Amino acid sequence: MDYMCFRALCCKGPPPPRPEYDIVCIGLTGSGKTSLLTQLCSESQDNIVPTTGFSIKAVPFQSAILNVKELGGATNIRKYWSRYYQGSQGVIFVLDSASSEEDLETARNELHSALQHPQLCTLPFLILANHQDKPAARCIQEIKKYFELEPLARGKRWILQPTSLDNMEAVKDSFSMLINLLDERELEPVQI
């Protein structure tokens, strides 16, 4: 019996590799993309500046690794977003739920474009309504209605979650939900 216990402990072999998924992360400047990803990677929050161009971070979770390509959200960069969509397996869209009406309208238009883009329209979307800790933050129901998510995203797999840097457990839970959608997508039979 002792030999069996020893064998079970020692001879298991390495754990199976975690799946890796390539994700594109988009949203307007100031929505909090870089801050959320930096916090998830347990990196220093000092000297965070808006992303110009793009950056890539490997965000490890227990069940998967997300290779997140974060695209800058400035006006002069957004027109190039679609050049970075190829190969993505999922989308994270971060919006500032406390932003001005004008910025919220711009974010809405950008999200609609992404949801309808040929390279993204079949992918799972995680939509993060960030900055929920700010007094002017809109609730999830307001955002869902304003962004017209129910009719626009019908038939698509998407998750809308409230987030803030003050509640990283909720952020991690949101990412875990995205991983579940990605895992489900991997299990779907391929139609030829």
Side-chain angles (χ1 to χ4, degrees):
M1 189 76 103
D2 289 331
Y3 174 75
M4 292 305 286
C5 286
F6 176 76
R7 185 175 161 93
L9 290 172
C10 289
C11 302
K12 256 205 284 199
R18 292 181 280 182
E20 291 192 31
Y21 297 109
D22 294 327
I23 307 296
V24 66
C25 179
I26 53 179
L28 304 187
T29 295
S31 61
K33 300 178 300 294
T34 305
S35 297
L36 287 171
L37 293 172
T38 300
Q39 187 97 358
L40 279 171
C41 292
S42 302
E43 297 173 354
S44 172
Q45 294 284 314
D46 300 336
N47 305 319
I48 290 181
V49 294
T51 303
T52 54
F54 71 94
S55 71
I56 299 175
K57 289 189 184 298
V59 185
F61 288 90
Q62 189 170 352
S63 60
I65 297 171
L66 300 181
N67 296 312
V68 181
K69 189 184 324 174
E70 177 201 350
L71 307 182
T75 306
N76 61 337
I77 296 172
R78 289 195 305 262
K79 61 186 172 190
Y80 300 109
W81 279 359
S82 62
R83 295 180 184 198
Y84 297 92
Y85 291 165
Q86 188 170 3
S88 296
Q89 296 169 284
V91 181
I92 299 169
F93 188 93
V94 183
L95 64 97
D96 179 355
S97 59
S99 67
S100 69
E101 289 294 325
E102 183 181 332
D103 284 348
L104 205 63
E105 178 67 22
T106 303
R108 178 177 171 249
N109 292 337
E110 294 296 345
L111 177 59
H112 284 209
S113 291
L115 280 166
Q116 295 171 342
H117 192 278
Q119 289 179 305
L120 303 181
C121 65
T122 61
L123 302 181
F125 270 73
L126 172 59
I127 304 162
L128 298 176
N130 200 19
H131 299 151
Q132 287 290 310
D133 53 328
K134 293 185 179 178
R138 293 159 185 88
C139 72
I140 288 297
Q141 290 305 323
E142 285 178 89
I143 290 170
K144 187 186 285 187
K145 184 177 178 182
Y146 182 81
F147 278 73
E148 299 173 321
L149 288 174
E150 293 291 342
L152 181 70
R154 185 173 289 125
K156 300 179 189 318
R157 288 175 294 192
W158 58 276
I159 302 162
L160 173 63
Q161 288 292 112
T163 57
S164 75
L165 288 176
D166 292 349
N167 189 353
M168 285 309 290
E169 282 308 309
V171 174
K172 289 175 184 175
D173 289 345
S174 299
F175 275 74
S176 292
M177 288 182 219
L178 176 63
I179 290 169
N180 288 339
L181 287 179
L182 293 163
D183 288 343
E184 288 171 14
R185 184 175 161 82
E186 286 291 305
L187 297 175
E188 288 178 359
V190 178
Q191 293 186 6
I192 301 174

